Amino acid sequence: MLGVNTEKRWLGAIVSRDQFDFWAQQLGSTAAWERCFARVVSRCEEADDTISLTLKPNANFAGFRAGQHMNLSAIIAGRRVTRSYSFTGLPCADSKQESVSITVRRDPAGVMSDWLYRHAQPGTVLEIGGVFGEMTLEEIQPAATEDLVFLAAGSGITPMISLIKARLAQGVSSLVTLLYWGRRPSAFCFDDELNALLNAHPNFRVHRLTTQEPFVGQPLAGRIHSEQLEQVLGADSSAPRAFICGNAEFVETARQLMNERASTCHVESFSPPARAPQNAVVESITLTLRKSRQVLTVSNQDTLLDALEAQGIAVESGCRMGICNTCTCTVTEGQTRDISTGQLNDGPATRLCVSQPVSNLQLDL
Amino acid sequence: MTSSLSRALSSEEVARLGEELDALKQRTLADVGEADARYIRRVVKAVRYTELLGRALLFVGIFPPAWVLGTLLLGVSKILENMELGHNVMHGQYDWMNEPSLNGKTYEWDIVGTSDMWRKTHNYEHHTYTNIRGMDNDIGYGLLRLFPEQRWRPFYLLQPLWAALLALLFQWGVAIQDLELGKVFSGRKSKAELNAQWQPLKKKIRYQLLKDYLFFPLLAGPFFLTVLSGNLVANLIRNLWTFMIIFCGHFTAKAEVFPRSVLDNETQGHWYLRQLRGSSNLRGSKLFHILSGNLSHQIEHHLFPTVPARRYRELSVEVKAICEKYGQHYNTGSLLSQFGQVVYRIFRHALPSRPERTTALLSA
Ligand SMILES: Cc1cc2nc3c(=O)[nH]c(=O)nc-3n(C[C@H](O)[C@H](O)[C@H](O)COP(=O)(O)OP(=O)(O)OC[C@H]3O[C@@H](n4cnc5c(N)ncnc54)[C@H](O)[C@@H]3O)c2cc1C
Ligand code: FES
């Protein structure tokens, strides 16, 4: 470590951070002064409209925990676009050797997932921003005797597969159950990995549930409902700890259904929650940017992030749904509402992507 | 000097002028995208490769042709970096790319002044209060009397000399502009305030000086002096060039200055009008425009400082048409003629002079 820092000090006397990154890139390397670039080393078709990518990050990667996700950026039509993707593998003991896997479900109308699906190939260079997420075993610390049940819908499987691997690797004998909903048989990811885990761990159970086309010779399982859960979990002796991940609608239903069965529910949603009551009266808001000394007029119906971007002001963002804190900014004057809860924000630190102005505002931008 | 070639506008006309320019800006911004990103990345590439080549040639600068070519290339690299890259990026013209290395709020340029100070004196003060006496320090940089409206003092008698020194040391002028040393000497600014500003500046100056005058020369071993002299001359070339381009932007014969009172109830339309009347353009080839950081389109730059500068050329056609429609003079000319006018101003207003009547922005 010391070596690297001293080298950087000397090198820093004649080249700037940006010059270093530029020449590294010209030489075909992902090395960088501080930023974490990652090269795609492999790609495979995982399921319908879904690919898995393995990335090799540069030495600036600080590692992750099973269940976490990262801000991933790609340059699309000249713009650096950032979205969240979950790590699907297990962290490696030596972070220098680390390669990380993600699985991306394509939304043909989406910017990033469609681009990755069509253009990410071995050799493509992406950038990893922050790593986030509290849905980890380290954070939650489930007891060894506690049964865990994972409920995943569609691409919500991604953090689950990683958590399941991590839990099974702990060598516990308590039950680990995965309930996994997908549209049709070809939509399910990680067949080989899940089968290998089933063979290796007798305490692991998987239920694949179809919602549009059934597996051959089986009935359609249908969207999540109470009897399904009763069939799978009814015989278990103790209330399990539940992990739920998928789109907002699935997460909401699953949480309600599991509330009576589970001891605790941990949830993660991949899409913004249904927007809570907006400001009832449409108003123009004067938005002052303190540092850049600009004054803008915005509507109180837009999130601050959307409003700023619409005026050509770039703000760092990641998940755009209030999860990653990337867009957080200090409100120095005025009142905002968090649209995911409908409540007024009380502190000055405000996530712009889920906040709408209520009064005239001053931001520390 | 001369009375304005533009006519005074009614409030309604000013409002419509503002709307037309706003619409033009929105149309252009809506079209900004991949081509602009590709362009600025090419500029970065040109800056880096000319610098590498220039520095490499200076290492063998013991052969005079290599020294000359190396120095020129390094000078061009610094000019491109300061003007087409740094200046424009710091205006936030490429912020929409979300690229950290091209972020207007964090970009640091290859010049002794800090980017943070520049963002304040230039982006904020100069662009907001363009050519307003007492508010836009760029009018003569506190050193020169360029307009008869500025009060004459005997100090200005020697201003051709001051101007020459400022041109040679232009990067230092830019660096210390915000320290407002005049205010410190006259006691209107505290030592503590000065010190707070001096600390980051000191760091930047040390970095720049060590890089160009110690570390790179040391890397050349026995050719220490050839590299050092090349770097010195390259910095000098950049200073002279930027001085010339920037002075042509606001101090040509027809450029106007304004009293503080223009700010009373100034509308967006007024602001546009003031930018237009206070700025002047330079004609030239495409390469010339690029090397001037497109500040050869000073008028368009002042109207639309956040629009990527490579767009100014196409914007100028419509801006000119709007000027004609509203009877406003579109101040442009060759470098020779515009700089000639600047030099004339420097000599003329070294001596006492009295303002002529100019056309007001607004008709009564
Ligand atoms: C914590 C977290 C972890 C995640 N992990 C994964 C993962 O492992 N794998 C995975 O595949 N995904 C994951 N996601 C989802 C992922 O981050 C992206 O949201 C997803 O890939 C879609 O991004 P996109 O750029 O393709 O779509 P976007 O361009 O963001 O658009 C998404 C959808 O919204 C619609 N839309 C966009 N703008 C508007 C508008 N103004 N008005 C109306 N509709 C609009 C689009 O048509 C599209 O259907 C995760 C998300 C989060 C928050
Ligand atoms: S962008 Fe992630 S919290 Fe706002």
Side-chain angles (χ1 to χ4, degrees), chain A residues 164-178:
Chain A
I164 289 169
K165 287 181 201 164
R167 176 62 167 177
L168 293 173
Q170 289 180 339
V172 295
S173 54
S174 53
L175 286 175
V176 175
T177 310
L178 169 66

Side-chain angles (χ1 to χ4, degrees), chain A residues 69 83-86 103 105 107 109-113 158 270 321:
Chain A
H69 50 90
R83 297 285 186 270
S84 310
Y85 292 95
S86 309
T103 294
R105 198 181 59 217
D107 177 342
V111 176
M112 178 96 164
S113 60
T158 49
F270 278 7
M321 49 186 290

Side-chain angles (χ1 to χ4, degrees), chain A residues 71 84 132 305 316-328 350-354:
Chain A
N71 276 355
S84 310
F132 308 93
L305 183 62
E316 280 276 318
S317 69
C319 66
R320 308 182 75 90
M321 49 186 290
I323 293 182
C324 70
N325 248 2
T326 310
C327 67
T328 299
T350 301
R351 288 161 304 164
L352 301 177
C353 62
V354 288

